[in-house]
Amino acid sequence: MAGIPAALRRPRSPFIGPRPFTLHDESLFFGRSDELRRLLELWRRNRLTILHSDAAAGKTSLLRAGLIPRLRADGANVLPPGRATSCQVRPAPALPGHNPYVLTLLSSWDPEESPGRLAALSISRFLHGRETYDRDGAPTPIFAAVDQAEAFLRPRAPDGAHRRRLLGELFEALAHRPNLRLLLVVRSDYLDDLRHEVKDAERPECAEYHLRPLTPEAATEVVCRSAQAMRLHVPPEEVEELLEELRAIRDEHGRVSRLTRAIDPLLLQVAGAHLWSCAPARDSFAPARVRAEVERALTDWCGRTLAVAAAEHELSRRELDTWVRRTLLRRNRTAATHLADMTHTANTPNTADTTGAARVVHTAGKVGAGDTVRAARITEAFLHSLEDRHLITDARHDAGPGLRQRRLLAPLRRLDAGRWPPAAPDAAALLCAAVRAHAEGEPGRAGRLAREAARVCPPKEMRVRADIESLLGNLSYEQRSLDEAVERYLAAATLFEALNDCTSVGWILAAAGRISLEQGRRSTAVAYMMAATGRLPHDPFVRTGLGQALRAAGESAAALEVLTGVLEHDDVLEARRTRNEIAGDGGGPAKR
């Protein structure tokens, strides 16, 4: 851009595309002033508030680009947006017994804190450490939000206890922290599940707010004010044509059968970003052929969404295209016929995986006369991925999933599986997909995705390569291939060392040390744990591991000294248990 005259440089797009708004997009977040004012009032007045809406109505954007910046501007004690799931990879042996949901949530609320210190805390104790006080010494409200709560409301057998503990700790914090103002953000199709959890926790004092899609007036404000923020002029007729096209439901012949009352925020951003990208002039907003370009934008988005989902879940495009046409495009049939013809639940294990944890929905039949297709295996994890990508809804419904937006019927009808945009070989995206597959109880698929990520990862992306090796180490550790796990971890440590990331190196070495302890290689375990402590000298979990390794090596006095030092600052249950065991063996006095 440096060699281009300023007058010819293209301004930033007024549309962000299909991703949610972030704190950095506050200047482009428009059309939600009434909702923002009302929800701020509820959050301030109630100890527990539930924000819910249909998928892609803008809950995350409202939280990140609206609510949190407004509270911070008012000087409130507000934590960063919280999430209980992420794509972050941690070496599993280094944090034995921790709750991954609680640790991820606390890490999102305080990204700078050591995972070892956070793993030693309950949610209530964490919040106690974040309290602030007014001039009279009274604690001020702590505003904390948990986004995408549906992620830990879904039934997942492998980690059900961890999910329930997360909810229990959230409600326990509400009971013990009167100054806590908790906001839970959830999709409306999981609202009843969350209400049930709230009722079981005996927390009736709960406020709810239903976020609706954009009205035509609000959508007009979004387009016009976004363009103004970029110093662009948008002719009113182009705005009206764009919004009417986004509301148009067309039949199989392309005729408009009706107009929706509201406008989907996601589709507005998808269409707007496309129109901006193909505008011929620097100060143009949209080409004249709005309808054709909107259709192209929505068709391309559907194709990319399906292509990525197919690659992530190891489905052929043809199989997935057949499933889309026979399930999403034929929901006008009765639920009974749909259930009988299209889906059934299989209780047999998922043969593509070693755990059998995935629930499988098979579809089979004929697309057209004489066009027989073989069965496509559609897992619950795949359906949830399409939910999270905002293409479908009601994945848990007996009649099968439905298309989230009827406006997408026409683009899906025109979609040709042979011309779907190819799923880009993005190593970071494949790594995230592998992490999700692992969390969904499909280690086989997780491993294949991780190895594919390693294959396509450029050498210069060392952090991604290090995380891939760490994930492969976790998978090997769970399969009890301990030597391979250590080999993977040490490969990750070498990459983190090159990045001068001492924290990550410390965690990797701690994982290798704990595995060596399991293998009975005591001197090796002590060496690894000493090296880990050198990089993380104040981390309670790493120092606890060192104490355990010293005890195993017969150095009880040194172990007691290390563990006592841990417990002087952090209440790590594993450190307390090990110290008491040493005392019981005659190595020193037990302490409470």
Side-chain angles (χ1 to χ4, degrees), residues 408-446:
L408 296 175
L409 280 169
L412 281 174
R413 288 191 192 105
R414 282 191 300 276
L415 199 59
D416 182 352
R419 297 183 179 180
W420 288 0
D426 184 281
L430 286 167
L431 172 62
C432 282
V435 171
R436 287 192 294 268
H438 185 214
E440 288 155 357
E442 297 185 58
R445 183 164 64 88

Side-chain angles (χ1 to χ4, degrees), residues 78-97:
V78 55
L79 301 178
R83 290 192 61 180
T85 59
S86 78
C87 291
Q88 188 172 3
V89 181
R90 296 186 179 92
L95 285 168

Side-chain angles (χ1 to χ4, degrees), residues 240-540:
E240 182 178 356
E241 187 176 0
L242 167 62
L243 299 183
E244 184 169 331
E245 184 57 37
L246 288 172
R247 296 170 60 200
I249 307 298
R250 300 182 184 277
D251 61 21
E252 295 183 1
H253 304 289
R255 296 188 295 262
V256 177
S257 59
R258 66 183 181 91
L259 296 176
T260 61
R261 294 181 180 180
I263 294 169
D264 187 273
L266 171 65
L267 301 190
L268 173 59
Q269 290 295 328
V270 169
H274 173 80
L275 290 170
W276 172 255
S277 68
C278 66
R282 178 181 61 82
D283 58 350
S284 294
F285 169 72
R289 298 174 61 242
V290 170
R291 173 186 171 184
E293 294 301 337
V294 167
E295 287 299 306
R296 181 180 302 172
L298 300 185
T299 301
D300 287 349
W301 178 78
C302 289
R304 285 193 302 272
T305 299
L306 291 169
V308 171
E312 182 175 319
H313 291 267
E314 304 174 320
L315 292 168
S316 75
R317 294 187 178 192
R318 185 60 60 186
E319 287 176 325
L320 183 51
D321 180 67
T322 299
W323 177 82
V324 166
R325 296 183 184 283
R326 297 174 55 251
T327 55
L328 300 187
L329 299 183
R330 295 191 179 184
R331 282 297 298 268
N332 58 318
R333 289 191 290 178
T334 65
T337 302
H338 181 83
L339 182 62
D341 291 349
M342 294 296 111
T343 67
H344 72 272
T345 301
N347 293 320
T348 55
N350 182 354
T351 56
D353 211 280
T354 58
T355 64
R359 179 174 177 265
V360 184
V361 178
H362 296 279
T363 60
K366 295 185 177 182
V367 179
D371 185 15
T372 304
V373 298
R374 66 187 182 91
R377 192 184 63 231
I378 305 297
T379 65
E380 277 191 324
F382 170 76
L383 295 180
H384 289 318
S385 75
L386 289 188
E387 274 189 329
D388 294 340
R389 290 180 169 94
H390 309 310
L391 186 63
I392 69 170
T393 188
D394 294 331
R396 302 176 298 168
H397 198 279
D398 289 342
L403 192 61
R404 184 185 67 83
Q405 266 290 339
R406 290 185 61 81
R407 178 60 185 84
L408 296 175
L409 280 169
L412 281 174
R413 288 191 192 105
R414 282 191 300 276
L415 199 59
D416 182 352
R419 297 183 179 180
W420 288 0
D426 184 281
L430 286 167
L431 172 62
C432 282
V435 171
R436 287 192 294 268
H438 185 214
E440 288 155 357
E442 297 185 58
R445 183 164 64 88
R448 291 188 291 273
L449 288 167
R451 286 187 287 272
E452 177 63 13
R455 187 185 69 81
V456 303
C457 187
K460 64 179 181 180
E461 294 188 16
M462 286 192 290
R463 185 166 298 278
V464 176
R465 289 167 55 205
D467 283 338
I468 293 170
E469 291 293 341
S470 186
L471 176 59
L472 288 170
N474 287 347
L475 294 169
S476 297
Y477 176 71
E478 291 174 3
Q479 294 163 6
R480 307 310 295 165
S481 299
L482 300 184
D483 288 337
E484 181 180 350
V486 171
E487 182 181 346
R488 293 288 189 182
Y489 288 140
L490 294 181
T494 300
L495 292 164
F496 283 128
E497 195 82 77
L499 293 166
N500 200 27
D501 185 347
C502 290
T503 299
S504 295
V505 173
W507 283 110
I508 292 292
L509 292 174
R514 286 186 177 273
I515 291 177
S516 297
L517 197 57
E518 286 187 50
Q519 294 176 311
R521 298 160 57 189
R522 298 170 182 176
S523 59
T524 303
V526 171
Y528 279 136
M529 297 309 302
M530 290 287 289
T533 306
R535 289 165 172 82
L536 296 170
H538 305 296
D539 190 280

Side-chain angles (χ1 to χ4, degrees), residues 543 546-547 550-551 554-565 582 587:
R543 295 176 67 207
L546 173 60
L550 289 169
R551 179 202 179 190
E555 301 288 342
S556 295
L560 273 176
E561 182 179 354
V562 170
L563 295 170
T564 300
I582 296 174

Side-chain angles (χ1 to χ4, degrees), residues 47-48 50 123-124 152-153 164-177 180 182 184 193-203 206:
R47 297 184 60 196
L48 176 60
I50 297 175
I123 292 176
S124 183
F152 55 85
L153 292 170
R164 294 207 61 82
R165 182 58 188 162
L166 170 64
L167 286 166
E169 287 200 23
L170 283 170
F171 295 132
E172 180 183 1
L174 280 170
H176 291 91
R177 303 290 166 198
L180 174 60
L182 180 63
L184 299 179
D193 300 80
L194 184 54
R195 284 171 174 165
H196 179 74
E197 297 291 346
V198 171
K199 182 179 179 181
D200 282 353
E202 299 181 352
R203 301 219 56 86
C206 174

